[in-house]
Amino acid sequence: MSTESTEPLSVGIIGCGVIAPPHIESFQACERVEVLALCDPQTHKARKLADQYGIACVADSVDELLAMDGLHAVSVCSGHAEHAATAAQAAKAGKHVLCEKPLAVSTEELDALEKLEQDHPSLVFEGVFQHRFDACYRFVREAVQLGHVGRLLLIDAHLSCHRPREYYLDSDWRGAWATEGGSLLINQAIHFLDLTSWIGGGVRSVNALTRNLGHEDVIETEDTAVLSMALGSGALGSFHGSSGSQRPWTSRMHFVGTEAEIIVEDGRVASVLARSEALGKELRRGADELEEATRLASVRTHYGPSHPRMIADFVDSIRRGHRPAIPFAEARKAVDLVLAAYRSCREGRNITLEQTD
Ligand SMILES: NC(=O)c1ccc[n+]([C@@H]2O[C@H](COP(=O)([O-])OP(=O)(O)OC[C@H]3O[C@@H](n4cnc5c(N)ncnc54)[C@H](O)[C@@H]3O)[C@@H](O)[C@H]2O)c1
């Protein structure tokens, strides 16, 4: 289904939990976009958000939502194991799909979805990695692409976050392999693995250690991980993180090149160091001029400011018939990497991936 650029666009939200409000607010901030309906098996959650955001319809099921007159697109905001089947159902119904990370929890699901996406070239199918729209990471990627950092040597990423027992105990999908598909890597770390791949030219191989060290009696999945990666650019990558930390959420990415290095902490360029004074000045001036997107009222700080930019790209891609910024093949890279990391840990060996920029 393609839509003329002047035609109003109607969207449905599938899954009305924590991440639904940033999606609703971001769509409502776009011109001539209406959130037509919401849907969640826990209908009280859908009704509450419908009242809060002035949305007329609550559908009883995904089938009912997809059958609504005039619906053009959906946002898939349910738990991880629901993503692939729901996205496939929506695409088969001729709807454009925006899907929260991760696109799926297995390679088989990813392959089936990719085939479906290729069979429906007129549909926009985009995966959510909103940090690709954060000004700081766009700045780093451009500096790498323009050659300002010289030869990229290392991307070192760290995440510490606090996921208390209740975060898992109060959820019917988190903390189990069958329903979350993992934990730290596939849920929280995946953002930084995606950025590592996006800036580092893809990931060629990964070696991983994962453990459940701080949530042993609560979840069956991992809360702590260390990864080493060979990147497509020739640089090395590393990730280390834990959701057993007492810090609510803190992240750090250190990009080291032969000419310059850049450190991003908690979504801001924290430090720039360059071999030449002139380059250092230029990079620091660029970093000082970065403008964040407007923060949404509903968004938790660590989700960053970029859901509105991510969703504006989805809407724009539908209207103009453009390839979106994060098409299916891009959005699956971080999921493939996470699945390879789990396999590496299970099999105790390095796993090769075929990823390029
Ligand atoms: N991009 C980000 O920064 C970010 C942040 C938080 C969560 N997320 C992602 O968003 C997704 C949802 O996370 P959440 O924290 O909102 O979870 P949540 O548990 O708060 O909400 C999920 C909702 O989906 C509903 N649901 C389950 N099956 C459904 C179905 N078949 N159809 C419709 N609704 C269904 C559940 O009843 C629940 O209300 C996950 O993929 C998560 O990884 C992304």
Side-chain angles (χ1 to χ4, degrees), residues 14-19 39-42 45 62 77-80 82-83 100-101 128 130 173-174 187 191 303 307:
I14 300 176
C16 294
V18 174
I19 203 60
C39 151
D40 193 305
Q42 301 185 63
K45 288 176 147 187
V62 176
C77 297
S78 46
H80 294 178
E82 306 288 330
H83 288 185
E100 265 294 350
K101 51 74 180 171
V128 173
Q130 77 274 13
W173 63 274
R174 296 189 180 101
N187 199 333
H191 290 293
Y303 300 168
H307 268 93

Short mmCIF file of all heavy atoms in Angstrom, two decimals, residues 14-19 39-42 45 62 77-80 82-83 100-101 128 130 173-174 187 191 303 307, ligand 1:
data_model
loop_
_atom_site.label_atom_id
_atom_site.label_comp_id
_atom_site.label_asym_id
_atom_site.label_seq_id
_atom_site.Cartn_x
_atom_site.Cartn_y
_atom_site.Cartn_z
N ILE A 14 0.34 -1.95 18.54
CA ILE A 14 0.12 -3.32 19.03
C ILE A 14 1.01 -3.54 20.24
O ILE A 14 2.23 -3.61 20.12
CB ILE A 14 0.43 -4.34 17.90
CG1 ILE A 14 -0.49 -4.10 16.70
CG2 ILE A 14 0.30 -5.76 18.44
CD1 ILE A 14 -0.21 -4.98 15.49
N GLY A 15 0.39 -3.61 21.42
CA GLY A 15 1.14 -3.71 22.67
C GLY A 15 1.11 -2.37 23.38
O GLY A 15 1.59 -1.37 22.84
N CYS A 16 0.50 -2.34 24.56
CA CYS A 16 0.28 -1.05 25.25
C CYS A 16 0.97 -1.01 26.61
O CYS A 16 0.38 -0.60 27.61
CB CYS A 16 -1.22 -0.80 25.38
SG CYS A 16 -1.99 -0.54 23.78
N GLY A 17 2.24 -1.42 26.63
CA GLY A 17 3.01 -1.37 27.88
C GLY A 17 3.88 -0.13 27.94
O GLY A 17 3.50 0.95 27.47
N VAL A 18 5.07 -0.31 28.50
CA VAL A 18 5.96 0.81 28.82
C VAL A 18 6.36 1.63 27.58
O VAL A 18 6.43 2.85 27.63
CB VAL A 18 7.23 0.24 29.49
CG1 VAL A 18 8.27 1.32 29.72
CG2 VAL A 18 6.88 -0.44 30.81
N ILE A 19 6.63 0.95 26.45
CA ILE A 19 7.18 1.68 25.30
C ILE A 19 6.09 2.28 24.41
O ILE A 19 6.39 3.10 23.52
CB ILE A 19 8.12 0.78 24.46
CG1 ILE A 19 9.12 1.61 23.64
CG2 ILE A 19 7.35 -0.17 23.54
CD1 ILE A 19 10.03 2.50 24.43
N CYS A 39 -4.21 -1.87 20.66
CA CYS A 39 -4.60 -3.26 20.89
C CYS A 39 -3.64 -3.92 21.88
O CYS A 39 -2.42 -3.71 21.78
CB CYS A 39 -4.59 -3.94 19.53
SG CYS A 39 -4.24 -5.65 19.50
N ASP A 40 -4.20 -4.62 22.85
CA ASP A 40 -3.40 -5.34 23.84
C ASP A 40 -4.32 -6.38 24.46
O ASP A 40 -5.47 -6.07 24.78
CB ASP A 40 -2.91 -4.35 24.93
CG ASP A 40 -1.82 -4.97 25.81
OD1 ASP A 40 -2.06 -6.05 26.38
OD2 ASP A 40 -0.74 -4.37 25.92
N PRO A 41 -3.84 -7.65 24.61
CA PRO A 41 -4.71 -8.65 25.25
C PRO A 41 -5.13 -8.21 26.66
O PRO A 41 -6.19 -8.62 27.14
CB PRO A 41 -3.86 -9.92 25.28
CG PRO A 41 -2.50 -9.55 24.85
CD PRO A 41 -2.56 -8.21 24.19
N GLN A 42 -4.28 -7.41 27.32
CA GLN A 42 -4.70 -6.81 28.61
C GLN A 42 -5.43 -5.51 28.25
O GLN A 42 -4.84 -4.43 28.24
CB GLN A 42 -3.48 -6.53 29.47
CG GLN A 42 -2.65 -7.78 29.77
CD GLN A 42 -1.52 -7.49 30.73
OE1 GLN A 42 -1.75 -7.09 31.87
NE2 GLN A 42 -0.30 -7.65 30.26
N LYS A 45 -5.08 -1.94 29.72
CA LYS A 45 -3.92 -1.09 29.41
C LYS A 45 -4.19 -0.27 28.15
O LYS A 45 -3.85 0.92 28.07
CB LYS A 45 -2.68 -1.96 29.19
CG LYS A 45 -2.12 -2.60 30.45
CD LYS A 45 -0.97 -3.50 30.02
CE LYS A 45 0.13 -3.58 31.00
NZ LYS A 45 1.28 -4.33 30.48
N VAL A 62 -5.34 -8.49 17.44
CA VAL A 62 -4.54 -8.00 16.31
C VAL A 62 -5.35 -8.15 15.02
O VAL A 62 -5.35 -7.25 14.17
CB VAL A 62 -3.19 -8.76 16.24
CG1 VAL A 62 -2.39 -8.32 15.02
CG2 VAL A 62 -2.38 -8.55 17.51
N CYS A 77 4.81 -3.24 19.50
CA CYS A 77 5.39 -2.85 20.80
C CYS A 77 5.10 -3.91 21.86
O CYS A 77 4.99 -3.59 23.05
CB CYS A 77 4.79 -1.51 21.27
SG CYS A 77 5.15 -0.14 20.19
N SER A 78 4.99 -5.15 21.45
CA SER A 78 4.70 -6.23 22.40
C SER A 78 6.01 -6.85 22.88
O SER A 78 7.09 -6.38 22.54
CB SER A 78 3.80 -7.27 21.72
OG SER A 78 4.30 -7.57 20.44
N GLY A 79 5.91 -7.93 23.67
CA GLY A 79 7.12 -8.62 24.16
C GLY A 79 7.86 -9.29 23.00
O GLY A 79 7.30 -9.51 21.92
N HIS A 80 9.13 -9.66 23.24
CA HIS A 80 10.01 -10.09 22.14
C HIS A 80 9.48 -11.26 21.32
O HIS A 80 9.55 -11.25 20.09
CB HIS A 80 11.38 -10.47 22.70
CG HIS A 80 12.12 -9.31 23.29
ND1 HIS A 80 13.34 -9.43 23.89
CD2 HIS A 80 11.80 -7.99 23.36
CE1 HIS A 80 13.76 -8.23 24.30
NE2 HIS A 80 12.83 -7.35 24.00
N GLU A 82 6.64 -12.18 20.59
CA GLU A 82 5.44 -11.88 19.78
C GLU A 82 5.81 -11.16 18.48
O GLU A 82 5.00 -11.09 17.56
CB GLU A 82 4.49 -10.95 20.56
CG GLU A 82 4.08 -11.42 21.93
CD GLU A 82 3.11 -12.58 21.85
OE1 GLU A 82 2.36 -12.66 20.87
OE2 GLU A 82 3.15 -13.42 22.77
N HIS A 83 7.02 -10.58 18.43
CA HIS A 83 7.33 -9.64 17.33
C HIS A 83 7.19 -10.26 15.94
O HIS A 83 6.52 -9.70 15.06
CB HIS A 83 8.75 -9.08 17.49
CG HIS A 83 8.87 -8.11 18.62
ND1 HIS A 83 10.02 -7.40 18.89
CD2 HIS A 83 7.98 -7.71 19.56
CE1 HIS A 83 9.83 -6.62 19.94
NE2 HIS A 83 8.60 -6.80 20.37
N GLU A 100 9.56 -2.77 17.23
CA GLU A 100 10.54 -2.52 18.30
C GLU A 100 11.63 -3.59 18.26
O GLU A 100 11.44 -4.68 17.72
CB GLU A 100 9.85 -2.50 19.67
CG GLU A 100 9.47 -1.11 20.14
CD GLU A 100 10.69 -0.20 20.44
OE1 GLU A 100 11.83 -0.68 20.47
OE2 GLU A 100 10.46 1.01 20.62
N LYS A 101 12.76 -3.27 18.83
CA LYS A 101 13.86 -4.25 18.90
C LYS A 101 13.51 -5.31 19.93
O LYS A 101 12.81 -4.98 20.89
CB LYS A 101 15.19 -3.55 19.23
CG LYS A 101 15.17 -2.60 20.45
CD LYS A 101 15.12 -3.31 21.74
CE LYS A 101 15.11 -2.57 22.96
NZ LYS A 101 14.85 -3.36 24.17
N VAL A 128 13.18 -0.61 15.08
CA VAL A 128 13.49 0.52 15.98
C VAL A 128 14.88 0.35 16.59
O VAL A 128 15.13 -0.62 17.31
CB VAL A 128 12.44 0.63 17.11
CG1 VAL A 128 12.88 1.69 18.13
CG2 VAL A 128 11.07 0.97 16.56
N GLN A 130 16.45 3.59 17.97
CA GLN A 130 16.34 5.05 17.97
C GLN A 130 17.66 5.76 18.21
O GLN A 130 17.83 6.91 17.82
CB GLN A 130 15.28 5.50 18.99
CG GLN A 130 15.70 5.50 20.45
CD GLN A 130 15.50 4.14 21.12
OE1 GLN A 130 15.27 3.14 20.46
NE2 GLN A 130 15.56 4.11 22.44
N TRP A 173 6.87 -11.99 30.34
CA TRP A 173 7.75 -12.38 29.23
C TRP A 173 9.24 -12.16 29.47
O TRP A 173 10.08 -12.80 28.83
CB TRP A 173 7.32 -11.69 27.93
CG TRP A 173 7.40 -10.18 27.93
CD1 TRP A 173 6.46 -9.31 28.37
CD2 TRP A 173 8.51 -9.39 27.47
NE1 TRP A 173 6.89 -8.01 28.22
CE2 TRP A 173 8.16 -8.04 27.66
CE3 TRP A 173 9.75 -9.68 26.92
CZ2 TRP A 173 8.99 -6.98 27.32
CZ3 TRP A 173 10.59 -8.62 26.58
CH2 TRP A 173 10.20 -7.29 26.78
N ARG A 174 9.60 -11.30 30.42
CA ARG A 174 11.02 -11.02 30.62
C ARG A 174 11.68 -12.13 31.44
O ARG A 174 11.06 -12.72 32.32
CB ARG A 174 11.22 -9.70 31.35
CG ARG A 174 10.74 -8.50 30.56
CD ARG A 174 11.17 -7.21 31.24
NE ARG A 174 10.70 -6.06 30.47
CZ ARG A 174 9.64 -5.35 30.79
NH1 ARG A 174 8.91 -5.66 31.85
NH2 ARG A 174 9.28 -4.34 30.04
N ASN A 187 18.01 -7.40 25.07
CA ASN A 187 17.08 -6.34 25.47
C ASN A 187 17.80 -5.00 25.66
O ASN A 187 17.45 -4.02 24.99
CB ASN A 187 16.34 -6.76 26.75
CG ASN A 187 15.08 -5.94 26.96
OD1 ASN A 187 15.00 -4.80 26.50
ND2 ASN A 187 14.11 -6.50 27.62
N HIS A 191 21.18 -2.11 21.89
CA HIS A 191 21.35 -0.75 21.34
C HIS A 191 22.82 -0.46 21.06
O HIS A 191 23.16 0.13 20.03
CB HIS A 191 20.84 0.28 22.35
CG HIS A 191 19.35 0.28 22.53
ND1 HIS A 191 18.50 0.67 21.54
CD2 HIS A 191 18.57 -0.05 23.58
CE1 HIS A 191 17.24 0.59 21.97
NE2 HIS A 191 17.27 0.14 23.21
N TYR A 303 15.96 5.93 27.40
CA TYR A 303 15.55 5.63 26.03
C TYR A 303 16.09 6.69 25.07
O TYR A 303 16.02 6.52 23.86
CB TYR A 303 14.02 5.59 25.89
CG TYR A 303 13.32 4.55 26.73
CD1 TYR A 303 11.94 4.59 26.87
CD2 TYR A 303 14.01 3.55 27.38
CE1 TYR A 303 11.27 3.65 27.64
CE2 TYR A 303 13.35 2.61 28.16
CZ TYR A 303 11.99 2.66 28.29
OH TYR A 303 11.33 1.75 29.06
N HIS A 307 13.03 8.76 19.80
CA HIS A 307 11.87 8.08 19.21
C HIS A 307 11.12 8.99 18.21
O HIS A 307 10.70 8.50 17.16
CB HIS A 307 10.92 7.57 20.30
CG HIS A 307 11.21 6.13 20.70
ND1 HIS A 307 12.03 5.82 21.77
CD2 HIS A 307 10.80 4.95 20.18
CE1 HIS A 307 12.12 4.50 21.87
NE2 HIS A 307 11.38 3.94 20.93
N1 LIG B 1 13.62 1.21 22.03
C1 LIG B 1 13.68 1.26 23.36
O1 LIG B 1 14.43 2.05 23.95
C2 LIG B 1 12.80 0.37 24.16
C3 LIG B 1 12.57 0.62 25.51
C4 LIG B 1 11.71 -0.23 26.22
C5 LIG B 1 11.15 -1.34 25.58
N2 LIG B 1 11.44 -1.56 24.27
C6 LIG B 1 10.91 -2.73 23.56
O2 LIG B 1 9.49 -2.58 23.45
C7 LIG B 1 8.86 -3.84 23.50
C8 LIG B 1 7.82 -3.84 24.62
O3 LIG B 1 8.48 -3.57 25.84
P1 LIG B 1 7.67 -2.96 27.08
O4 LIG B 1 8.71 -2.58 28.08
O5 LIG B 1 6.70 -1.94 26.60
O6 LIG B 1 6.90 -4.27 27.57
P2 LIG B 1 5.56 -4.35 28.44
O7 LIG B 1 5.54 -5.71 29.04
O8 LIG B 1 5.47 -3.16 29.33
O9 LIG B 1 4.41 -4.23 27.34
C9 LIG B 1 4.19 -5.20 26.37
C10 LIG B 1 2.69 -5.27 26.13
O10 LIG B 1 2.44 -6.09 24.99
C11 LIG B 1 1.23 -6.76 25.24
N3 LIG B 1 1.10 -7.90 24.33
C12 LIG B 1 1.58 -9.14 24.48
N4 LIG B 1 1.22 -9.89 23.41
C13 LIG B 1 0.52 -9.08 22.58
C14 LIG B 1 -0.12 -9.26 21.34
N5 LIG B 1 -0.08 -10.45 20.70
N6 LIG B 1 -0.76 -8.23 20.77
C15 LIG B 1 -0.80 -7.03 21.38
N7 LIG B 1 -0.21 -6.80 22.57
C16 LIG B 1 0.44 -7.81 23.16
C17 LIG B 1 1.31 -7.15 26.70
O11 LIG B 1 0.04 -7.45 27.24
C18 LIG B 1 1.93 -5.89 27.31
O12 LIG B 1 0.95 -4.98 27.76
C19 LIG B 1 9.99 -4.86 23.70
O13 LIG B 1 10.37 -5.34 22.45
C20 LIG B 1 11.12 -4.04 24.30
O14 LIG B 1 12.40 -4.59 24.03
C21 LIG B 1 12.22 -0.73 23.55
#
